[in-house]
Amino acid sequence: MGRKLLRFKRKDLLGIEELSREEIELILNTARGFKEVSVRPIKKVPALRGKTVVNLFYEPSTRTRISFELAAKRLSADVINVSTSTSSVVKGESLVDTARNIQAMEVDAVVIRHSSEGAPMLLSRVLKASVINAGDGSHEHPTQALLDMFTIMERKKKIEGLNVAIIGDILHSRVARSNIWGLTKMGARVKIAGPPTLIPPMVQDLRVQVFYRPEEALIDADVVMCLRIQLERQTSNFFPSLHEYVKVFCITPERIKLAREDCLIMHPGPINRGIEISNEVADGARSVILEQVTNGIAVRMAVLYLLLTQR
Amino acid sequence: MKATEEKVILDKKGISKTIARMCEQIVRRNKTRYGLKDLAIVGIRTRGAYIAQRIVNILKRKYKTAVPIGILDITLYRDDLTTVSAQPVVRSTEIPFDLMDKRVVLVDDVLYTGRTVRAAMDELVDFGRPRNIQLAVLVDRGWREFPIQADYTGVSISTTQSEIVEVRLRESDGRDEVVVRRR
């Protein structure tokens, strides 16, 4: 293992691609200390008292927005939620103008979700405030990958050397992209599987093994990450029918037998039950899907803490 | 004192004697007709937690009383979080018992400005309402910035602000000693 990093020096968290292994480890270690705050009788610490966090969501979200809001509130920061359907965005204000106006109100961090890849980076160049990417198009969703790695670390005590299978719609998945960056940096062996039309070109450059049938990726897997079929991003037909996708790719009890007996079943949510994952697997003993949600708050608290307590 | 010189305030034997005497005082003050009922020991990370563990061990061995122990990480309650240059590492707080109506002895290695103790008390009361909070420190070096004093003091020494008081403990530093040295 490399040198242990003791402080985070970035203004923003835009993606996992730009992070070093040491930075990822610092975030995961910091999150460990925060997990216990959420089970205290008073679920609040004063660390970010007087700081203001704006949640700027240009795409629908329940989990991520609530998770960021709770993370900030449990650190005593003030949180404003801007949902674009009720804001000036509908009057045609540009992203940069919206951001500049938010900046003029002296906020400390902007958490942004946007359908366009690179929107958080654009904001980070305009704003003095910290920018946290909460998902940009098909590009990255860094806090999801961090909470996935935190969950694996907590259950398996390591990431290095584990076999991780990521299965489903890789092409549209920012979760897959962030996880591939993170898991390979942490030394896991990553295998991806999906229909050829849903595997992005050039993906072999990311040091992953590519398969077109789930069975091959599942063999000896320590962790299985199922991805949601993103019906809202399907602009053309990527597979003949949903029925056929289910038949070939759905993670069923039968298919999961190929993985290791103690494998973890993960899903970033929301789940399309019976499409990418069967009910039995999603609700089974090896599923850590709800633990992922719990851990998401600790990881986001760590990210907010590391970004907002720098001098 | 030369820059590299260290003055030993307590050696291994001195530390163990001092902690034993503090235990005696804690017992004397908290003994009720039901024994050491409702007593709890809470150490402040890092070295206060080790001293707290030693106190609990002595109470068990010498006074035949099992006392619950807790550990506080006060990082998130510091008043200098956004001004301190190095980002403090956050570790977990562990209070595995109900604080309601407990007599809590808060334990730290060195009492200096009093700011750590202020943070620790704020954190403690977020876990419940203890009957009282008492403070035990191995070394009181003066220079208080808050109106805080210890109930049990191992040793009191006078220092200048350019000096550093270092408590070294077997658990974290491989040996037991308290030294004063120049910054």
Side-chain angles (χ1 to χ4, degrees), chain A residues 10-111:
Chain A
R10 294 175 188 277
K11 173 173 89 73
D12 313 292
L13 178 67
L14 302 177
I16 302 291
E17 180 180 0
E18 64 194 21
L19 298 185
S20 68
R21 177 172 177 158
E22 288 72 29
E23 286 173 302
I24 294 171
E25 283 171 350
L26 173 64
I27 298 171
L28 299 182
N29 286 337
T30 305
R32 259 206 321 234
F34 280 109
K35 197 170 173 187
E36 155 269 322
V37 173
S38 293
V39 294
R40 293 183 184 189
I42 294 180
K43 300 190 246 322
K44 209 179 188 67
V45 291
L48 297 186
R49 208 160 47 107
K51 302 278 183 188
T52 310
V53 177
V54 171
N55 278 330
L56 188 57
F57 278 60
Y58 285 83
E59 261 187 21
S61 160
T62 8
R63 233 168 316 270
T64 307
R65 193 189 58 68
I66 293 176
S67 183
F68 266 112
E69 182 169 353
L70 284 176
K73 285 185 167 165
R74 287 181 186 171
L75 291 170
S76 299
D78 295 308
V79 187
I80 307 292
N81 288 305
V82 181
S83 119
T84 51
S85 57
T86 56
S87 72
S88 291
V89 173
V90 291
K91 299 180 190 163
E93 190 174 53
S94 78
L95 172 63
V96 169
D97 279 337
T98 303
R100 284 208 171 108
N101 279 278
I102 289 171
Q103 167 122 314
M105 299 184 211
E106 302 290 348
V107 310
D108 300 285
V110 177
V111 178

Side-chain angles (χ1 to χ4, degrees), chain A residues 6-8 29-30 32-34 36-37 40-42 44-47 51 305-306 308-311, chain B residues 73 75-78 81-94 123 125-128:
Chain A
L6 285 176
R7 50 188 302 211
F8 204 69
N29 286 337
T30 305
R32 259 206 321 234
F34 280 109
E36 155 269 322
V37 173
R40 293 183 184 189
I42 294 180
K44 209 179 188 67
V45 291
K51 302 278 183 188
Y305 169 81
L306 290 171
L308 295 183
T309 58
Q310 298 168 22
R311 184 132 76 160
Chain B
D73 181 278
T75 310
L76 300 170
Y77 285 74
R78 286 173 67 142
L81 254 189
T82 49
T83 51
V84 75
S85 54
Q87 216 161 24
V89 181
V90 179
R91 278 173 307 160
S92 60
T93 284
E94 294 155 26
E123 180 161 19
V125 298
D126 276 354
F127 277 86

Side-chain angles (χ1 to χ4, degrees), chain A residues 57-308:
Chain A
F57 278 60
Y58 285 83
E59 261 187 21
S61 160
T62 8
R63 233 168 316 270
T64 307
R65 193 189 58 68
I66 293 176
S67 183
F68 266 112
E69 182 169 353
L70 284 176
K73 285 185 167 165
R74 287 181 186 171
L75 291 170
S76 299
D78 295 308
V79 187
I80 307 292
N81 288 305
V82 181
S83 119
T84 51
S85 57
T86 56
S87 72
S88 291
V89 173
V90 291
K91 299 180 190 163
E93 190 174 53
S94 78
L95 172 63
V96 169
D97 279 337
T98 303
R100 284 208 171 108
N101 279 278
I102 289 171
Q103 167 122 314
M105 299 184 211
E106 302 290 348
V107 310
D108 300 285
V110 177
V111 178
I112 179 172
R113 165 163 294 186
H114 203 285
S115 57
S116 297
E117 293 80 3
M121 180 179 281
L122 175 67
L123 270 197
S124 72
R125 289 181 183 157
V126 180
L127 296 185
K128 282 202 309 269
S130 291
V131 174
I132 299 171
N133 181 0
D136 59 334
S138 305
H139 176 226
E140 283 227 40
H141 190 353
T143 56
Q144 177 70 43
L146 289 165
L147 75 89
D148 289 341
M149 289 189 275
F150 182 88
T151 306
I152 296 172
M153 197 70 135
E154 207 177 49
R155 283 300 198 113
K156 298 282 183 192
K157 310 296 170 213
K158 60 168 187 179
I159 295 177
E160 179 115 49
L162 294 183
N163 293 320
V164 182
I166 306 179
I167 294 170
D169 179 356
I170 311 285
L171 180 66
H172 298 100
S173 177
R174 52 196 175 208
V175 175
R177 225 163 251 93
S178 289
N179 263 309
I180 290 170
W181 284 117
L183 289 164
T184 52
K185 281 175 198 212
M186 296 296 285
R189 281 188 292 273
V190 179
K191 299 174 184 178
I192 61 171
T197 48
L198 291 176
I199 301 280
M202 317 293 278
V203 75
Q204 58 276 17
D205 296 351
L206 295 177
R207 293 189 291 159
V208 297
Q209 281 179 279
V210 183
F211 300 97
Y212 301 109
R213 302 193 71 84
E215 287 81 3
E216 295 168 284
L218 284 171
I219 292 172
D220 281 339
D222 297 287
V223 177
V224 178
M225 288 186 180
C226 310
L227 299 175
R228 185 171 63 92
I229 284 296
Q230 305 195 23
L231 298 162
E232 77 274 19
R233 281 187 227 281
Q234 312 278 359
T235 43
S236 54
N237 295 322
F238 290 96
F239 42 81
S241 72
L242 214 49
H243 179 72
E244 188 172 324
Y245 181 86
V246 172
K247 218 170 132 192
V248 182
F249 283 97
C250 182
I251 303 303
T252 56
E254 197 52 47
R255 290 205 168 98
I256 213 72
K257 281 186 192 143
L258 294 164
R260 285 182 194 257
E261 208 164 332
D262 60 350
C263 80
L264 306 178
I265 310 290
M266 306 178 83
H267 193 298
I271 303 178
N272 295 313
R273 284 177 176 271
I275 296 178
E276 67 264 1
I277 186 168
S278 74
N279 278 330
E280 296 94 311
V281 177
D283 305 328
R286 291 180 286 189
S287 165
V288 292
I289 295 172
L290 291 175
E291 270 175 51
Q292 289 173 269
V293 178
T294 303
N295 291 337
I297 295 178
V299 165
R300 292 179 175 116
M301 285 171 88
V303 169
L304 287 167
Y305 169 81
L306 290 171
L307 291 176
L308 295 183

Side-chain angles (χ1 to χ4, degrees), chain B residues 44-169:
Chain B
I44 300 174
R45 278 194 199 275
T46 308
R47 290 178 183 75
Y50 297 135
I51 299 172
Q53 185 61 58
R54 291 188 191 190
I55 291 174
V56 167
N57 292 347
I58 293 172
L59 292 177
K60 182 158 193 187
R61 216 175 43 233
K62 205 167 154 196
Y63 301 91
K64 312 287 175 230
T65 314
V67 175
I69 182 169
I71 296 171
L72 281 184
D73 181 278
I74 57 108
T75 310
L76 300 170
Y77 285 74
R78 286 173 67 142
D79 56 9
D80 57 355
L81 254 189
T82 49
T83 51
V84 75
S85 54
Q87 216 161 24
V89 181
V90 179
R91 278 173 307 160
S92 60
T93 284
E94 294 155 26
I95 306 287
F97 51 86
D98 188 1
L99 273 180
M100 189 71 187
D101 279 338
K102 287 279 189 307
R103 302 156 203 271
V104 176
V105 178
L106 195 59
V107 182
D108 205 0
D109 54 350
V110 179
L111 180 57
Y112 184 21
T113 60
R115 287 177 191 269
T116 300
V117 175
R118 190 286 305 166
M121 288 194 292
D122 278 353
E123 180 161 19
L124 260 187
V125 298
D126 276 354
F127 277 86
R129 186 179 187 279
R131 174 187 299 262
N132 60 42
I133 300 177
Q134 305 159 34
L135 177 62
V137 298
L138 191 60
V139 184
D140 180 348
R141 61 166 295 186
W143 297 103
R144 217 78 75 241
E145 291 168 8
F146 283 177
I148 279 169
Q149 60 177 11
D151 299 89
Y152 315 100
T153 307
V155 287
S156 275
I157 56 174
S158 60
T159 58
T160 65
Q161 280 188 296
S162 62
E163 286 170 328
I164 292 177
V165 176
E166 225 175 82
V167 172
R168 298 181 185 135
L169 297 174

